């Protein structure tokens, strides 16, 4: 209701003052370029990163689009720089963004937004794509999809950052896939979803190929790279821009600098701007986003916000302004773009270990049904901080493959996308069964507790569709399917749709595993899991 009130008063004000500006035309992708949807003329990003640093805080952050005072203060400076897109890194989906989004519309500025937030993002050291993250991502999509000036979403920023953590990209690509599927399933506008990478010379080709490859369901719609190679005075060749332009020439999707502006030489002269928007680069690149609006301790700012709330422009601001004013990139027409064949996926090797077989789509209904079917679960008063000890101990005793994920082999436990408490319950139950339901085996000094297992008939179908149906047959605890593309796992009550939309399940081929000693636990698991309705595939 508040939303509506603000919207109409903003519209009223606009009509009273000057002309009512229409909403901006959506930006669409054809081949490797962005286009205005109203006239099919090419769109280059002339962007600025717009968010105060969140590095010092773990969970709280300032959402720049929920601060109309800040938006009113800053947008005129963006306009002075001919800004047509801002990048924001963390949004608070429970706050009201109407006013800032309208001010940006009026100024001709699009928004490209990261979907994660500091304490809800894919962690490169222990990567996961789970129900909590899917819920976070879709909450941002729900809140912003209706603004025509949302240009796109980033499913991750610099998650994989060197050869040691390339496996994490499988989870990010699953996030791309599921966010795209969610947008489609909700009937929202076809908002593109992509990734923003760091510039690591060893992996940047494989990384871009990985996100750009595969079919429409799985691949990223665009690829951004955070680029700091051109410092002070340089040239297309000596800066390194020529090399990466050649490397990214045939990705088949739009590429752009999702951050740029090396500050090793200060003030920044932004001499790279005419090259970025010039003939050496415009066939391949769609412009870039300067890092960043606010001056902070890292010295990347274009303006300083003074103690009295006023804005002072820095030398960098004026230099960037004159550079951007000088460019006039060639404008392609959407109708002239010939279809582009997607790039080939990288193969597993010394520098790249992420399988093209992606983690499963998180589905809360699968996790909830699993928990209902257990006889032993984690006690509700156990602190999350104490989970690790329990995981470590139990997994040293039994097979935990039902909850584990290996993005190199491409093998993912059916319950690997469940939240930690559900996963812990799953393995505590296995341990209990393994020990013939001895009372001591569901105790752990009060950390585990007995419950009466239930399996609603609707759950049998949900679990079966997820590939958990033959828990006892070993082969199905793992699911090597690369996601059904079903977007029903949005969180709350997706059980019915999740079964019906998972129609392609029959083509999934669960990985077969040799029967080993640990299968005993899984076999025992099956009988309890489904009670009377046991299904083997
Ligand atoms: C296409 O539309 C956009 C947005 O209204 C406008 O900025 C651009 O100048 C138009 N291009 C042409 C060639 O008319
Ligand atoms: C962030 O931390 C740095 C280094 O400790 C400090 O200099 C800076 O003032 C902090 N910024 C904020 C906004 O707290
Ligand atoms: C999001 O906004 C709400 C309401 O203003 C606030 O309570 C919450 O702490 C914010 N969350 C974050 C992560 O900043
Ligand atoms: C979305 O936008 C349309 C067209 O501007 C509007 O009619 C509709 O009410 C909006 N819906 C929401 C949920 O804001
Ligand atoms: C990779 O990045 C991580 C996290 O930033 C860092 O700890 C590690 O040392 C890096 N490893 C290599 C091989 O560069
Ligand atoms: C896309 O590729 C994946 C993995 O190979 C496959 O499971 C899925 O069915 C494909 N989707 C379409 C629409 O072809
Ligand atoms: C460009 O690539 C070539 C070949 O790998 C390399 O020798 C050269 O140093 C690179 N140039 C820059 C500026 O990175
Ligand atoms: C994951 O799979 C790869 C390839 O099969 C294997 O080498 C690696 O040991 C596995 N990792 C774990 C933790 O099991």
């Amino acid at each position: 209701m508040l939303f509506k009130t603000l919207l109409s008063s903003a519209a009223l004000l606009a009509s009273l003052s000057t002309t009512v500006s229409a909403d901006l035309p959506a930006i669409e992708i054809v081949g490797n370029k962005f286009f205005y949807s109203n006239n099919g003329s090419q769109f280059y990003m002339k962007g600025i990163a717009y968010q105060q640093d969140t590095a010092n805080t773990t969970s709280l952050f300032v959402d720049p689009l929920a601060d109309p005072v800040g938006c009113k203060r800053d947008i005129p400076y963006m306009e002075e720089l001919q800004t047509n897109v801002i990048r924001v890194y963390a949004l608070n989906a429970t706050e009201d963004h109407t006013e800032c989004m309208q001010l940006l519309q009026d100024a001709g500025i699009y928004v490209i937004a990261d979907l994660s937030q500091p304490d809800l993002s894919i962690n490169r050291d222990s990567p996961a794509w789970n129900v909590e993250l899917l819920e976070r991502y879709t909450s941002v999509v729900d809140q912003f999809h209706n603004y025509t000036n949302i240009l796109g979403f980033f499913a991750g920023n610099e998650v994989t950052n060197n050869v040691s953590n390339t496996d994490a990209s499988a989870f990010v690509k699953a996030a791309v896939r599921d966010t795209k599927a969610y947008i489609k399933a909700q009937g929202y506008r076809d908002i593109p979803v992509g990734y923003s990478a760091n510039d690591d010379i060893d992996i940047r080709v494989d990384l871009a190929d990985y996100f750009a490859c595969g079919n429409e369901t799985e691949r990223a719609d665009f690829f951004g790279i955070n680029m700091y190679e051109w410092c002070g005075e340089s040239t297309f060749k000596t800066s390194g821009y020529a090399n990466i332009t050649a490397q990214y020439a045939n990705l088949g999707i739009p590429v752009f600098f999702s951050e740029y502006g090396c500050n090793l030489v200060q003030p920044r002269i932004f001499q790279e701007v005419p090259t970025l928007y010039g003939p050496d680069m415009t066939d391949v690149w769609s412009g870039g986003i300067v890092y960043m609006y606010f001056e902070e301790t890292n010295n990347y700012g274009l303006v300083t916000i003074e103690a009295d709330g006023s804005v002072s422009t820095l030398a960098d601001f004026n230099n960037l302004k004159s550079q951007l004013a000088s460019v006039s990139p060639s404008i392609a027409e959407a109708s002239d773009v010939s279809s582009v064949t997607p790039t080939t996926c990288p193969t597993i090797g010394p520098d790249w270990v992420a399988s093209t077989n992606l983690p499963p789509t998180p589905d809360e209904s699968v996790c909830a049904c699993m928990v209902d079917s257990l006889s032993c679960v984690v006690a509700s008063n156990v602190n999350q901080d104490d989970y690790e000890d329990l995981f470590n101990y139990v997994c040293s005793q039994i097979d935990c493959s039902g909850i584990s994920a290996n993005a190199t082999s491409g093998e993912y436990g059916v319950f690997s996308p469940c939240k930690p408490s559900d996963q812990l319950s799953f393995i505590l139950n296995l341990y209990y069964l393994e020990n013939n339901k001895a009372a001591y085996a569901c105790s752990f000094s009060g950390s585990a507790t007995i419950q009466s297992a239930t399996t609603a008939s609707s759950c049998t179908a949900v679990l079966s569709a997820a590939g958990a149906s033959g828990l006892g047959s070993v082969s199905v605890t793992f699911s090597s399917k690369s996601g059904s593309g079903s977007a029903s796992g949005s969180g709350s009550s997706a059980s019915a749709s999740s079964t019906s939309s998972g129609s392609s399940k029959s083509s999934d081929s669960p990985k077969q595993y040799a029967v080993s000693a640990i299968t005993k636990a899984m076999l025992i698991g099956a009988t309890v899991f489904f009670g009377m309705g046991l299904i083997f595939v």
Side-chain angles (χ1 to χ4, degrees):
M1 286 307 105
L2 180 61
F3 181 87
K4 278 223 166 72
T5 315
L6 284 170
L7 197 64
S8 51
S9 61
L12 185 66
L13 273 180
S15 66
L16 286 176
S17 52
T18 50
T19 51
V20 187
S21 35
D23 283 352
L24 291 170
I27 300 297
E28 295 175 343
I29 292 171
V30 183
N32 72 339
K33 295 182 172 62
F34 293 107
F35 296 93
Y36 288 106
S37 57
N38 59 324
N39 57 18
S41 143
Q42 191 181 356
F43 174 88
Y44 288 97
M45 291 186 181
K46 292 180 184 163
I48 303 181
Y50 183 61
Q51 185 146 25
Q52 274 164 310
D53 190 26
T54 55
N56 289 8
T57 58
T58 49
S59 58
L60 292 181
F61 53 85
V62 179
D63 176 341
L65 303 185
D67 174 14
V69 173
C71 290
K72 280 195 196 102
R73 178 194 62 206
D74 297 328
I75 288 173
Y77 293 91
M78 297 172 185
E79 289 182 281
E80 203 180 328
L81 291 172
Q82 299 185 28
T83 303
N84 63 9
V85 59
I86 55 172
R87 176 178 182 181
V88 292
Y89 291 85
L91 293 166
N92 184 333
T94 65
E95 294 195 272
D96 186 353
H97 302 93
T98 320
E99 210 174 334
C100 279
M101 290 306 290
Q102 188 60 50
L103 290 164
L104 290 163
Q105 289 270 17
D106 295 346
I109 298 173
Y110 292 84
V111 172
I112 189 162
D114 285 74
L115 292 170
S116 59
Q117 66 175 56
D119 64 352
L120 274 173
S121 59
I122 300 170
N123 177 346
R124 66 171 74 95
D125 297 322
S126 56
W129 172 239
N130 58 32
V131 291
E132 291 159 308
L133 290 167
L134 177 63
E135 204 172 309
R136 156 70 194 174
Y137 279 35
T138 56
S139 73
V140 178
V141 172
D142 286 340
Q143 163 106 181
F144 284 92
H145 74 91
N146 207 29
Y147 299 110
T148 60
N149 61 331
I150 287 289
L151 193 158
F153 296 116
F154 288 116
N157 178 51
E158 302 194 355
V159 179
T160 286
N161 70 342
N162 63 40
V163 289
S164 75
N165 48 38
T166 60
D167 64 321
S169 284
F171 299 88
V172 183
K173 196 168 174 183
V176 170
R177 175 200 64 202
D178 293 343
T179 306
K180 287 173 67 162
Y182 180 79
I183 289 170
K184 204 180 272 283
Q186 299 298 308
Y188 294 163
R189 173 168 66 85
D190 193 10
I191 305 169
V193 181
Y195 178 67
S196 173
N198 72 325
D199 178 22
D200 185 277
I201 198 100
D202 298 331
I203 60 166
R204 68 187 188 186
V205 171
D206 283 346
L207 186 63
D209 284 345
Y210 185 75
F211 279 96
C213 77
N215 62 30
E216 165 63 27
T217 314
E218 291 195 331
R219 70 167 172 264
D221 294 317
F222 56 77
F223 187 83
I225 184 160
N226 299 338
M227 171 55 63
Y228 293 93
E229 289 184 6
W230 188 313
C231 308
E233 285 191 37
S234 190
T235 65
F236 181 54
K237 282 212 170 60
T238 57
S239 65
Y241 278 21
N243 277 3
I244 191 158
T245 299
Q247 288 176 323
Y248 283 3
N250 297 308
L251 281 182
I253 57 173
V255 280
F256 56 92
F257 292 172
S258 41
E259 290 175 1
Y260 76 96
C262 169
N263 70 354
L264 291 181
V265 179
Q266 293 187 329
R268 295 185 285 179
I269 56 173
F270 292 107
Q271 191 208 31
E272 66 270 47
V273 166
T275 303
L276 177 58
Y277 297 94
D280 282 332
M281 294 184 70
T282 48
D283 276 349
V284 176
W285 301 91
S286 294
I289 297 168
V290 171
Y291 187 79
M292 65 173 287
Y293 184 76
F294 296 101
E295 175 72 342
E296 291 177 345
T297 47
N298 62 12
N299 284 319
Y300 278 97
L302 300 172
V303 311
T304 300
I305 309 297
E306 305 293 353
D308 66 1
S310 65
V311 177
S312 301
T313 58
L314 298 168
D316 288 22
F317 181 96
N318 294 314
N319 294 341
L320 178 62
K321 180 180 165 182
S322 52
Q323 293 285 8
L324 282 170
S326 75
V327 304
S328 55
S330 68
I331 303 291
E333 297 300 322
S335 52
D336 294 341
V337 178
S338 46
S339 69
V340 190
T341 32
T343 186
T344 350
C345 294
T347 49
I348 303 278
D351 287 351
W352 191 261
V353 300
S355 168
T356 53
N357 194 28
L358 304 180
T361 300
D363 185 341
E364 173 56 27
S365 64
V366 170
C367 304
C369 282
M370 175 269 281
V371 171
D372 283 351
S373 74
L374 306 177
S375 302
C376 176
V377 295
V378 64
S380 56
N381 61 354
V382 177
N383 194 306
Q384 284 239 15
D385 297 343
D386 298 330
Y387 283 5
E388 197 180 342
D389 288 344
L390 287 163
F391 273 117
N392 288 343
Y393 176 74
V394 176
C395 290
S396 71
Q397 303 295 307
I398 60 151
D399 178 18
C400 282
S401 52
I403 58 165
S404 65
N406 184 333
T408 299
S409 61
E411 292 157 353
Y412 308 96
V414 167
F415 306 117
S416 61
C418 295
K419 59 176 182 279
S421 56
D422 293 352
Q423 295 186 332
L424 184 53
S425 291
F426 176 73
I427 59 164
L428 287 169
N429 186 68
L430 282 183
Y431 181 84
Y432 178 57
L433 300 169
E434 171 87 330
N435 289 286
N436 301 315
K437 296 192 167 189
Y440 75 86
C442 185
S443 164
F444 295 95
S445 314
S447 296
T449 183
I450 305 284
Q451 72 171 18
S452 73
T454 58
T455 305
S457 55
S458 59
C459 273
T460 311
V462 167
L463 289 165
S464 162
S469 50
L471 220 84
S473 74
V474 190
S475 60
V476 274
T477 317
F478 290 98
S479 161
S480 71
K481 67 194 159 84
S482 55
S484 62
S486 152
S488 54
S490 58
S492 42
S493 57
S495 53
S497 63
S498 113
T499 12
S500 54
S501 64
S503 54
S504 63
K505 293 296 194 282
S506 56
S507 61
D508 301 334
S509 52
K511 247 226 149 52
Q512 295 296 323
Y513 281 80
V515 176
S516 68
I518 27 188
T519 63
K520 197 173 129 223
M522 311 312 280
L523 276 164
I524 302 166
T527 27
V528 172
F529 227 83
F530 287 98
M532 316 149 231
L534 186 59
I535 301 173
F536 288 93
V537 255

